[in-house]
Amino acid sequence: MGVSSTFFDRAGGQPFFDELVENFYVGVESDELLRPMYPKDLTESKSHLALFLAQYWGGPRTYQDLRGHPRLRMRHAPFRITKRARDAWLVHMNEAVAKSSSSLSPDDRADLLAYFDLSAHQLRNV
Ligand code: HEM
């Protein structure tokens, strides 16, 4: 692929993000601290996160069409994101990346992990 390819394309498109998010939510479902923050039915939660990530990494702007501007800090304001909650979220996401990223180059995998680490730190609100 040429120099202008996006992470989204290199990762394999939407199926990569769908699988990543499925794996992430397996961790959330068994997490006593995080699970109660999410709705009972996780279908929409999965779809919003997968579409958001796809858009962020250069895919189609479907998230924006459905949900508007991401405003992640504002959307997370209703939840108590303590250091412990943030760290739990990151554990599940790091595990999901480990499971889902066999097709990523080392550089892309490192960029993805660094992005999650930084954005999770920014979303701590307690
Ligand atoms: C730091 C720990 C985090 C916690 C505890 C957390 C928790 C949550 C919860 C409870 C929801 C609501 C789910 C729903 O109503 O369906 C949510 C939504 C969302 N979160 Fe997080 N989150 C965290 C970090 C992140 C990070 C780092 C990102 C992005 C890289 C992110 C992206 C999103 C997106 C895109 C949504 C859906 C927004 C929408 O409604 O359109 N979250 N999060």
Side-chain angles (χ1 to χ4, degrees), residues 5-11 13-14 16-17 20-21 47-65 68-72 89 93 107-120 122-123:
S5 76
T6 63
F7 180 109
F8 177 85
D9 290 331
R10 290 191 301 277
Q14 192 63 47
F16 169 78
F17 294 94
L20 179 70
V21 166
S47 160
H48 295 157
L49 182 57
L51 290 174
F52 169 81
L53 292 173
Q55 174 175 309
Y56 178 88
W57 290 98
R61 304 194 64 76
T62 315
Y63 175 84
Q64 182 111 359
D65 294 342
H69 191 281
R71 295 177 213 256
L72 285 189
W89 191 101
M93 189 53 88
D107 274 2
D108 279 346
R109 183 180 305 113
D111 284 353
L112 186 62
L113 290 170
Y115 162 75
F116 283 132
D117 193 69
L118 183 65
S119 46
Q122 287 168 347
L123 289 175

Side-chain angles (χ1 to χ4, degrees), residues 24-25 33-39 41-53 56-57 63 66-72 75-76 78-82 85-90 93 115-125:
F24 168 70
Y25 274 104
L33 179 61
L34 297 184
R35 184 64 186 87
M37 295 185 192
Y38 289 86
D41 181 350
L42 292 170
T43 314
E44 298 260 290
S45 314
K46 289 177 184 174
S47 160
H48 295 157
L49 182 57
L51 290 174
F52 169 81
L53 292 173
Y56 178 88
W57 290 98
Y63 175 84
L66 284 173
R67 306 290 290 163
H69 191 281
R71 295 177 213 256
L72 285 189
R75 289 193 206 265
H76 287 79
F79 314 113
R80 275 180 60 80
I81 307 189
T82 58
R86 175 200 71 199
D87 289 347
W89 191 101
L90 273 173
M93 189 53 88
Y115 162 75
F116 283 132
D117 193 69
L118 183 65
S119 46
H121 278 71
Q122 287 168 347
L123 289 175
R124 179 179 171 188
N125 59 18

